[in-house]
Amino acid sequence: MYRRHSNVLFRRFVSLFLWFLRWRFYWFATKQLGKDFIPPEEVAMAYGFSYDQKQYTSFRKTLPGPEIINWCREHGFMLVAGPSATLSLLDILELDPSQFFSSAKDGWYCLLQHLFSRLDKVQPQWLILRKTFVPGSLKRIWCEQEELISEREYIPNAAQCVWGIHLYLLVRGKRLFPRHFVRTSSVDSRGRRVTIGLNSEDGMVIDAWKKDFADNSIGIHSGLKYEPEKTSH
């Protein structure tokens, strides 16, 4: 189901086709955000799966308007499409195990008591995620980091965070959070906040730390709240 196309000519053709689609349906987002905008067509090409026509239509009609897109550009956020089906953290890890330090079968989060890896999910809808840790959030405990999240923002769960980071690597070839961790809203069975980061060539690391632990390598992640209003882009 999740296979990548290896034929070079086919991939070049699809790249040109995707370029056409980006400017045909998403011209403003493409112009303003550039590489920080990843539509569902590029997601499908990267992972080798398909959205149905209703999903493509829904994404095009629920694309955020100019005000939000400009805000994303000014504040360092990326606008990316979610998967074609609702996925948990373990589902995402199964898509590309080589890019994670531990797999969906041998990581500590695979144990049954860690419900977040199965219950916290990413949906087939637009995600607006920060590309870095929230400014000023390093070397702070959880409650201090929470206070830095504005009313317009929310704290993504582990599946949402990992989806955005891995998708950006797969489509844009750039590793986000190569030297830092970011806390998410997900909680393990011991009440620790799940952290994502150290996204090096050794693979993205999924860890968890106590709320009262602070370190200069641990920040907090955020996303922009967005309630889609169907528009005609």
Side-chain angles (χ1 to χ4, degrees):
M1 178 181 178
Y2 300 104
R3 66 183 188 282
R4 295 192 183 86
H5 301 286
S6 59
N7 185 283
V8 175
L9 290 177
F10 176 80
R11 292 182 67 88
R12 288 179 179 175
F13 169 78
V14 172
S15 295
L16 289 173
F17 184 63
L18 291 176
W19 178 87
F20 167 77
L21 290 177
R22 279 171 63 95
W23 285 99
R24 169 66 178 83
F25 296 110
Y26 310 110
W27 68 272
F28 187 78
T30 297
K31 178 181 177 182
Q32 297 299 96
L33 296 178
K35 292 183 178 181
D36 292 340
F37 173 62
I38 304 179
E41 290 82 359
E42 288 192 83
V43 177
M45 177 61 188
Y47 284 108
F49 57 64
S50 300
Y51 298 83
D52 60 39
Q53 192 55 49
K54 288 184 178 180
Q55 288 178 309
Y56 281 123
T57 300
S58 177
F59 273 108
R60 292 164 188 168
K61 288 185 176 181
T62 59
L63 182 70
E67 187 273 333
I68 292 179
I69 290 174
N70 286 331
W71 189 94
C72 291
R73 183 188 62 181
E74 294 168 4
H75 293 84
F77 281 64
M78 58 181 172
L79 172 60
V80 303
S84 60
T86 300
L87 298 179
S88 68
L89 175 64
L90 295 183
D91 293 330
I92 299 171
L93 268 58
E94 289 282 6
L95 300 181
D96 193 6
S98 66
Q99 293 299 333
F100 297 92
F101 189 78
S102 299
S103 72
K105 296 180 180 179
D106 60 13
W108 62 270
Y109 36 79
C110 301
L111 299 177
L112 292 177
Q113 63 262 36
H114 298 303
L115 298 179
F116 77 91
S117 63
R118 298 166 178 81
L119 299 183
D120 290 353
K121 298 183 178 182
V122 59
Q123 307 288 336
Q125 60 190 32
W126 292 112
L127 279 174
I128 306 174
L129 301 172
R130 190 182 287 274
K131 292 176 60 184
T132 62
F133 51 82
V134 174
S137 65
L138 297 179
K139 210 170 182 178
R140 293 177 181 267
I141 62 176
W142 169 256
C143 63
E144 294 174 334
Q145 292 176 330
E146 263 190 313
E147 294 176 353
L148 299 174
I149 305 299
S150 70
E151 292 184 359
R152 295 193 67 170
E153 298 172 83
Y154 71 99
I155 304 171
N157 64 41
Q160 293 169 325
C161 182
V162 168
W163 173 261
I165 296 172
H166 182 255
L167 177 64
Y168 203 84
L169 171 62
L170 203 59
V171 178
R172 300 294 179 239
K174 181 178 180 180
R175 295 181 184 276
L176 303 178
F177 306 106
R179 299 181 183 87
H180 296 90
F181 282 103
V182 283
R183 281 185 166 115
T184 68
S185 64
S186 295
V187 181
D188 73 0
S189 63
R190 295 168 59 186
R192 302 176 302 175
R193 292 288 165 176
V194 178
T195 58
I196 312 296
L198 293 188
N199 188 23
S200 68
E201 293 183 357
D202 291 329
M204 190 189 311
V205 177
I206 301 169
D207 210 333
W209 299 92
K210 293 181 179 180
K211 296 179 181 180
D212 59 356
F213 179 76
D215 189 84
N216 58 12
S217 67
I218 303 176
I220 192 171
H221 201 209
S222 75
L224 183 67
K225 296 175 182 176
Y226 174 58
E227 293 294 333
E229 294 182 6
K230 290 193 175 182
T231 57
S232 56
H233 290 273

